[in-house]
Amino acid sequence: MIFRIILQVFFILSIAGSIYAQDRNNINKPESSSHFTDRFSWVNKSTSSVHEMNFIAGYSFASTKGFWGKIPEATLSIYTIRYNRKLATYNNRHLLEYVTEANLAANYTLSDTPRYRSGSFSGFGITPIGFQLNINQNNIIQPFFKSSAGFMYFKKPFPDERGVPFNFTLELGGGIEVMVLENISLSAGYKYHHMSNGQFGEVNPGVDSNIFYTGFTIF
Protein backbone atom coordinates (compact mmCIF):
# COMPACT_ATOMS: atom_id res chain seq x y z
CA MET A 1 0.00 0.00 0.00
CA ILE A 2 2.73 2.46 1.00
CA PHE A 3 4.77 1.49 -2.07
CA ARG A 4 1.79 2.22 -4.31
CA ILE A 5 1.35 5.67 -2.73
CA ILE A 6 5.05 6.44 -3.19
CA LEU A 7 4.81 5.47 -6.87
CA GLN A 8 1.74 7.72 -7.34
CA VAL A 9 3.47 10.66 -5.67
CA PHE A 10 6.59 10.12 -7.78
CA PHE A 11 4.45 9.94 -10.94
CA ILE A 12 2.64 13.20 -10.09
CA LEU A 13 5.91 14.99 -9.29
CA SER A 14 7.41 13.78 -12.59
CA ILE A 15 4.48 15.16 -14.58
CA ALA A 16 4.59 18.50 -12.69
CA GLY A 17 8.31 18.79 -13.31
CA SER A 18 7.85 18.11 -17.01
CA ILE A 19 5.12 20.76 -17.29
CA TYR A 20 7.24 23.31 -15.38
CA ALA A 21 10.24 22.72 -17.63
CA GLN A 22 8.09 23.06 -20.74
CA ASP A 23 6.61 26.33 -19.48
CA ARG A 24 10.09 27.74 -18.82
CA ASN A 25 11.19 26.83 -22.33
CA ASN A 26 8.14 28.55 -23.79
CA ILE A 27 8.84 31.69 -21.76
CA ASN A 28 12.51 31.87 -22.74
CA LYS A 29 11.86 30.96 -26.36
CA PRO A 30 11.39 34.03 -28.60
CA GLU A 31 8.02 34.36 -30.26
CA SER A 32 7.89 33.00 -33.78
CA SER A 33 7.28 35.50 -36.55
CA SER A 34 6.25 32.85 -39.02
CA HIS A 35 2.53 33.51 -38.56
CA PHE A 36 1.14 35.96 -41.08
CA THR A 37 -0.92 37.84 -38.49
CA ASP A 38 2.13 38.29 -36.25
CA ARG A 39 3.65 40.55 -38.88
CA PHE A 40 0.99 43.21 -38.30
CA SER A 41 1.13 45.55 -35.33
CA TRP A 42 -1.00 48.58 -34.55
CA VAL A 43 0.92 51.80 -34.16
CA ASN A 44 1.09 52.90 -30.54
CA LYS A 45 -1.58 55.57 -30.11
CA SER A 46 0.50 57.38 -27.51
CA THR A 47 3.28 57.99 -30.01
CA SER A 48 3.49 61.70 -30.83
CA SER A 49 4.17 61.05 -34.52
CA VAL A 50 0.93 59.14 -35.16
CA HIS A 51 -0.61 62.32 -36.61
CA GLU A 52 0.92 64.15 -39.60
CA MET A 53 0.13 67.40 -41.42
CA ASN A 54 1.24 67.67 -45.03
CA PHE A 55 1.32 70.72 -47.33
CA ILE A 56 1.51 70.15 -51.10
CA ALA A 57 1.68 72.16 -54.32
CA GLY A 58 1.24 70.39 -57.65
CA TYR A 59 0.95 71.12 -61.37
CA SER A 60 -0.16 69.25 -64.46
CA PHE A 61 1.28 70.59 -67.72
CA ALA A 62 -1.26 68.99 -70.04
CA SER A 63 -4.11 66.55 -69.66
CA THR A 64 -4.31 63.50 -71.90
CA LYS A 65 -7.04 61.33 -73.32
CA GLY A 66 -6.41 58.59 -70.81
CA PHE A 67 -8.63 55.89 -69.37
CA TRP A 68 -11.69 58.12 -68.96
CA GLY A 69 -10.73 61.72 -69.78
CA LYS A 70 -11.70 63.25 -73.10
CA ILE A 71 -10.36 66.81 -72.74
CA PRO A 72 -6.74 67.18 -73.92
CA GLU A 73 -4.23 69.96 -73.25
CA ALA A 74 -5.84 71.15 -70.00
CA THR A 75 -3.49 72.44 -67.30
CA LEU A 76 -4.14 72.11 -63.58
CA SER A 77 -2.57 73.82 -60.57
CA ILE A 78 -3.53 72.59 -57.12
CA TYR A 79 -2.66 73.47 -53.51
CA THR A 80 -3.48 70.95 -50.82
CA ILE A 81 -3.36 70.47 -47.07
CA ARG A 82 -3.37 66.83 -46.00
CA TYR A 83 -3.88 64.97 -42.73
CA ASN A 84 -2.26 61.53 -42.31
CA ARG A 85 -3.13 59.08 -39.52
CA LYS A 86 -0.75 56.16 -39.08
CA LEU A 87 -2.76 52.93 -38.97
CA ALA A 88 -0.58 49.82 -39.00
CA THR A 89 2.84 48.45 -39.76
CA TYR A 90 3.75 45.27 -41.59
CA ASN A 91 6.79 43.31 -40.43
CA ASN A 92 7.88 46.43 -38.45
CA ARG A 93 9.03 47.99 -41.73
CA HIS A 94 6.18 49.11 -43.98
CA LEU A 95 3.67 51.72 -42.81
CA LEU A 96 0.01 52.08 -43.82
CA GLU A 97 -1.62 55.49 -43.30
CA TYR A 98 -5.13 56.85 -43.66
CA VAL A 99 -5.14 60.08 -45.68
CA THR A 100 -7.71 62.86 -46.03
CA GLU A 101 -7.11 66.06 -48.01
CA ALA A 102 -8.54 69.52 -48.54
CA ASN A 103 -7.71 71.01 -51.94
CA LEU A 104 -7.73 74.65 -50.91
CA ALA A 105 -7.31 75.99 -54.45
CA ALA A 106 -7.54 74.26 -57.80
CA ASN A 107 -7.51 75.87 -61.22
CA TYR A 108 -8.12 74.21 -64.59
CA THR A 109 -7.23 76.06 -67.79
CA LEU A 110 -8.80 74.59 -70.93
CA SER A 111 -7.62 75.14 -74.49
CA ASP A 112 -9.93 75.44 -77.48
CA THR A 113 -10.98 72.07 -78.92
CA PRO A 114 -13.59 71.14 -81.54
CA ARG A 115 -16.02 70.18 -78.76
CA TYR A 116 -15.17 72.55 -75.86
CA ARG A 117 -14.27 76.22 -75.53
CA SER A 118 -11.22 77.56 -73.74
CA GLY A 119 -11.70 78.82 -70.21
CA SER A 120 -10.47 78.96 -66.64
CA PHE A 121 -12.18 77.16 -63.76
CA SER A 122 -11.34 77.80 -60.11
CA GLY A 123 -12.63 75.78 -57.20
CA PHE A 124 -11.86 73.68 -54.15
CA GLY A 125 -12.17 70.04 -53.20
CA ILE A 126 -12.12 67.42 -50.48
CA THR A 127 -10.82 63.85 -50.63
CA PRO A 128 -12.15 62.08 -47.51
CA ILE A 129 -10.99 58.59 -48.52
CA GLY A 130 -7.32 57.83 -49.07
CA PHE A 131 -4.51 55.49 -48.10
CA GLN A 132 -0.73 55.71 -48.32
CA LEU A 133 1.85 52.93 -47.99
CA ASN A 134 5.41 53.87 -47.02
CA ILE A 135 8.14 51.32 -47.76
CA ASN A 136 10.89 50.92 -45.14
CA GLN A 137 9.54 53.51 -42.72
CA ASN A 138 12.75 53.50 -40.65
CA ASN A 139 14.91 54.66 -43.57
CA ILE A 140 15.78 58.26 -44.34
CA ILE A 141 14.47 57.81 -47.90
CA GLN A 142 11.07 56.11 -48.14
CA PRO A 143 9.25 55.27 -51.40
CA PHE A 144 5.47 55.51 -51.05
CA PHE A 145 2.29 54.68 -52.96
CA LYS A 146 -0.99 56.55 -52.51
CA SER A 147 -4.58 56.51 -53.74
CA SER A 148 -7.63 58.61 -52.83
CA ALA A 149 -11.13 59.61 -53.92
CA GLY A 150 -13.22 62.73 -53.38
CA PHE A 151 -14.85 65.67 -55.17
CA MET A 152 -14.28 69.19 -56.48
CA TYR A 153 -16.66 72.14 -56.64
CA PHE A 154 -16.24 75.03 -59.11
CA LYS A 155 -17.76 78.49 -59.31
CA LYS A 156 -19.41 77.60 -62.62
CA PRO A 157 -20.37 74.45 -64.54
CA PHE A 158 -17.44 72.46 -65.90
CA PRO A 159 -16.46 72.39 -68.78
CA ASP A 160 -19.36 74.63 -69.98
CA GLU A 161 -23.07 75.21 -69.31
CA ARG A 162 -23.80 71.59 -70.24
CA GLY A 163 -21.79 70.38 -67.25
CA VAL A 164 -22.20 70.85 -63.49
CA PRO A 165 -20.12 72.63 -60.82
CA PHE A 166 -19.82 69.45 -58.71
CA ASN A 167 -17.36 66.79 -59.94
CA PHE A 168 -15.85 63.60 -58.57
CA THR A 169 -12.11 62.89 -58.36
CA LEU A 170 -9.95 59.79 -58.27
CA GLU A 171 -6.16 59.65 -58.07
CA LEU A 172 -3.37 57.10 -57.90
CA GLY A 173 0.39 57.65 -57.67
CA GLY A 174 3.55 57.52 -55.65
CA GLY A 175 6.79 59.24 -54.84
CA ILE A 176 9.69 59.62 -52.43
CA GLU A 177 9.64 60.94 -48.86
CA VAL A 178 12.93 62.13 -47.35
CA MET A 179 13.40 62.67 -43.62
CA VAL A 180 15.31 65.91 -43.05
CA LEU A 181 14.62 66.33 -39.32
CA GLU A 182 13.10 64.17 -36.61
CA ASN A 183 9.68 65.73 -37.15
CA ILE A 184 9.91 67.10 -40.71
CA SER A 185 10.13 65.40 -44.10
CA LEU A 186 10.16 66.53 -47.72
CA SER A 187 8.30 64.70 -50.47
CA ALA A 188 8.07 64.71 -54.25
CA GLY A 189 5.82 62.58 -56.39
CA TYR A 190 3.50 61.97 -59.29
CA LYS A 191 -0.21 61.16 -59.34
CA TYR A 192 -2.69 60.33 -62.06
CA HIS A 193 -5.71 62.53 -61.34
CA HIS A 194 -9.12 61.93 -62.91
CA MET A 195 -12.09 64.27 -62.63
CA SER A 196 -15.61 63.85 -64.05
CA ASN A 197 -19.22 64.55 -63.05
CA GLY A 198 -20.46 60.95 -62.98
CA GLN A 199 -23.09 61.54 -65.68
CA PHE A 200 -24.89 64.25 -63.66
CA GLY A 201 -24.46 66.77 -66.49
CA GLU A 202 -25.58 66.79 -70.11
CA VAL A 203 -21.96 66.06 -71.02
CA ASN A 204 -19.34 64.24 -68.97
CA PRO A 205 -16.00 64.62 -70.78
CA GLY A 206 -13.71 64.14 -67.79
CA VAL A 207 -10.11 65.26 -67.43
CA ASP A 208 -7.09 63.01 -66.91
CA SER A 209 -4.21 65.05 -65.45
CA ASN A 210 -0.62 64.04 -64.76
CA ILE A 211 0.25 65.98 -61.60
CA PHE A 212 3.81 66.44 -60.40
CA TYR A 213 3.97 67.75 -56.85
CA THR A 214 6.21 68.54 -53.93
CA GLY A 215 5.58 69.30 -50.28
CA PHE A 216 6.62 68.90 -46.69
CA THR A 217 5.23 66.98 -43.71
CA ILE A 218 5.21 67.91 -40.02
CA PHE A 219 4.93 65.05 -37.51
Side-chain angles (χ1 to χ4, degrees), residues 68-69 71 76 78 103 106 108 110 116 121-128 148-171 193-208:
W68 301 291
I71 298 181
L76 168 62
I78 191 167
N103 296 312
Y108 279 93
L110 275 57
Y116 305 102
F121 299 82
S122 298
F124 68 93
I126 297 176
T127 57
S148 62
F151 67 87
M152 279 192 180
Y153 187 84
F154 298 98
K155 298 178 181 179
K156 56 185 178 180
F158 182 94
D160 53 36
E161 65 279 356
R162 296 171 297 171
V164 292
F166 185 88
N167 287 261
F168 299 97
T169 62
L170 176 66
E171 61 183 31
H193 183 277
H194 171 75
M195 187 189 73
S196 61
N197 61 37
Q199 306 298 333
F200 282 95
E202 294 181 25
V203 296
N204 181 33
V207 183
D208 288 342

Side-chain angles (χ1 to χ4, degrees), residues 14 17 26 29 35 42 48 92 116 122 125 144 196 198-199 201 212:
S14 298
N26 289 337
K29 185 179 179 180
H35 299 290
W42 292 101
S48 60
N92 292 322
Y116 305 102
S122 298
F144 66 85
S196 61
Q199 306 298 333
F212 298 90

Side-chain angles (χ1 to χ4, degrees), residues 11-215:
F11 179 73
I12 293 173
L13 291 175
S14 298
I15 294 177
S18 177
I19 294 174
Y20 177 75
Q22 185 175 0
D23 289 341
R24 283 183 59 85
N25 289 335
N26 289 337
I27 292 174
N28 296 329
K29 185 179 179 180
E31 293 184 5
S32 173
S33 60
S34 60
H35 299 290
F36 181 77
T37 54
D38 292 342
R39 296 178 180 272
F40 286 92
S41 62
W42 292 101
V43 176
N44 189 346
K45 293 183 179 180
S46 64
T47 302
S48 60
S49 60
V50 166
H51 307 284
E52 300 178 358
M53 294 301 297
N54 189 251
F55 304 89
I56 295 172
Y59 190 79
S60 173
F61 294 93
S63 62
T64 59
K65 290 186 177 181
F67 295 103
W68 301 291
K70 299 177 182 177
I71 298 181
E73 305 301 324
T75 63
L76 168 62
S77 59
I78 191 167
Y79 301 92
T80 303
I81 182 172
R82 176 193 298 172
Y83 166 74
N84 296 352
R85 171 64 163 86
K86 296 180 179 180
L87 293 181
T89 58
Y90 173 71
N91 205 22
N92 292 322
R93 294 177 58 195
H94 312 309
L95 174 66
L96 178 65
E97 297 178 296
Y98 166 75
V99 179
T100 182
E101 297 176 343
N103 296 312
L104 304 178
N107 182 267
Y108 279 93
T109 302
L110 275 57
S111 302
D112 272 322
T113 67
R115 297 182 61 183
Y116 305 102
R117 299 189 303 269
S118 62
S120 179
F121 299 82
S122 298
F124 68 93
I126 297 176
T127 57
I129 303 174
F131 295 95
Q132 178 171 310
L133 176 65
N134 278 47
I135 306 299
N136 294 324
Q137 64 165 336
N138 297 320
N139 291 357
I140 294 178
I141 300 177
Q142 304 172 22
F144 66 85
F145 302 94
K146 177 185 171 293
S147 64
S148 62
F151 67 87
M152 279 192 180
Y153 187 84
F154 298 98
K155 298 178 181 179
K156 56 185 178 180
F158 182 94
D160 53 36
E161 65 279 356
R162 296 171 297 171
V164 292
F166 185 88
N167 287 261
F168 299 97
T169 62
L170 176 66
E171 61 183 31
L172 177 66
I176 297 292
E177 185 173 0
V178 181
M179 303 298 299
V180 293
L181 293 175
E182 184 178 356
N183 62 336
I184 296 179
S185 68
L186 301 178
S187 59
Y190 161 85
K191 57 184 178 181
Y192 165 82
H193 183 277
H194 171 75
M195 187 189 73
S196 61
N197 61 37
Q199 306 298 333
F200 282 95
E202 294 181 25
V203 296
N204 181 33
V207 183
D208 288 342
S209 301
N210 300 288
I211 300 177
F212 298 90
Y213 64 91
T214 185

